[in-house]
Amino acid sequence: MLSRAAESIYWMERYRERAENTARAVDCSLQLSLDAPAERESPWGPVVLASGDEELYKELGGTLSKKAAMNFLTFEERNPNSILSCLSKARDNARSVREIIAAEMWQELNTAYLYVRNAAADPAASPTPHEFYTRVKRHGQVFAGIADATMLRGEAWHFGRMGAMLERADKTSRLLDMKYFLLLPSVDDVGAPYDGLQWSALLDAVGALEFYRKKHRQILHADVVDFLVLNPDFPRSILHCLLELEKSLRALTGTPPGQPGNDAERLLGRLRSDLGFCRVEDVMRRGLHEFLNDVQVRLDEVNAALSTIFFTPSATLADGHSHDQ
């Protein structure tokens, strides 16, 4: 498979997943702003902080108002990580590999982009914010379902799968980090009624609330962290994403388990192993923000290693299989 085609599929899925997860974060903040007492910290500062684009937000003159933050994260074309920007780049990547992906995948991605672009051009014609972000999330879920039902489990599938899983792991960590920033004003709020509302909104944002409640009776922060970071069976937990990412990476390289053949496998294997043997008590003892920040840095390292191995002009796999350009 051409490395440029593999890179396009990888980034098509990363940007598509990023748009969906940004919609989840904004929708979560909407729910928090509705439930928050008047004296509480606005959730819009933390959601911008957790996105990693705070400096750009300030450069563009953004305030901590609901309207400014929502526009920056949703429609701002100067923000490369806004929903509109991500869907535009996902669509561009999809267009370059239309002969590889299913026609229905292209149609769904194009529909999602046009929906958000039209909403940006005519906000008055848009539905309520909750309905809008729900529809953006639904487009992402439909696209993933079509890809799962139509694509051969070959190289294209695995490159797309790696992009989606790496992005999802990163965004789950950032959603959890958003909760950390909300707690910054006072750690005395831990365990208070509003603390429980925040954790519930966060679980709901990633579609985990129902399954969390089937496993745990109460909303306790340690149990939520355990569920979203260390649960190998929940599709949006960080550990689950790493396990799926590792499966696709090994499918591409043919490397047996326990015998890493390149930097990406070594970096990913160490991170997956660290989380696999970690207990939630270890996470909380270290500090949730510090732990999540370390995960995000290590995911960036995995991404850089994948780019070097698969997408650079001289890319060569450890087993000697070269990739054409």
Side-chain angles (χ1 to χ4, degrees), residues 42 44-45 47-48 57 61-72:
S42 164
W44 298 105
V47 74
V48 172
Y57 186 65
T63 64
L64 294 184
S65 71
K66 171 182 171 182
K67 182 178 180 180
M70 287 177 65
N71 185 69
F72 175 76

Side-chain angles (χ1 to χ4, degrees), residues 74-267:
T74 308
F75 300 125
E76 179 56 70
E77 294 186 65
R78 292 172 292 178
N79 174 11
N81 295 315
S82 71
I83 293 173
L84 181 59
S85 294
C86 287
L87 287 176
S88 175
K89 287 183 282 193
R91 180 171 172 264
D92 289 343
N93 279 288
R95 182 189 287 115
S96 70
V97 291
R98 285 189 66 175
E99 75 283 2
I100 296 176
I101 64 174
E104 291 171 89
M105 292 169 63
W106 161 254
Q107 291 165 4
E108 184 61 33
L109 198 50
N110 196 41
T111 300
Y113 166 74
L114 293 175
Y115 174 68
V116 176
R117 192 193 67 177
N118 292 338
D122 187 8
S126 297
T128 66
H130 176 65
E131 290 172 339
F132 170 80
Y133 292 110
T134 297
R135 185 162 171 181
V136 173
K137 288 185 285 184
R138 186 63 56 85
H139 275 300
Q141 292 169 328
V142 171
F143 180 91
I146 294 171
D148 186 64
T150 59
M151 287 191 76
L152 294 172
R153 275 15 180 200
E155 288 184 328
W157 161 262
H158 288 297
F159 277 113
R161 188 70 174 163
M162 288 199 305
M165 291 299 100
L166 196 147
E167 185 67 31
R168 187 178 294 178
D170 179 78
K171 284 297 176 286
T172 295
S173 76
R174 291 182 185 278
L175 267 169
L176 276 167
D177 228 7
M178 189 174 80
K179 182 67 175 73
Y180 164 82
F181 289 122
L182 283 168
L183 282 176
L184 275 180
S186 173
V187 294
D188 294 335
D189 292 332
V190 175
Y194 186 61
D195 185 45
L197 286 175
Q198 290 178 339
W199 285 117
S200 295
L202 193 149
L203 284 165
D204 194 36
V206 295
L209 184 58
E210 181 180 357
F211 292 104
Y212 172 88
R213 286 197 178 281
K214 287 180 179 177
K215 185 174 182 180
H216 303 284
R217 291 184 178 180
Q218 290 182 292
I219 302 286
L220 299 176
H221 69 283
D223 289 339
V224 176
V225 172
D226 182 62
F227 195 81
L228 294 182
V229 176
L230 304 176
N231 189 321
D233 299 320
F234 179 63
R236 290 192 172 276
S237 84
I238 297 174
L239 180 57
H240 177 88
C241 293
L242 295 180
L243 289 166
E244 293 300 307
L245 173 55
E246 193 171 40
K247 284 180 189 174
S248 284
L249 179 55
R250 292 198 184 285
L252 288 167
T253 63
T255 306
Q259 300 178 34
N262 55 60
D263 285 345
E265 290 175 346
R266 291 187 189 91
L267 292 166

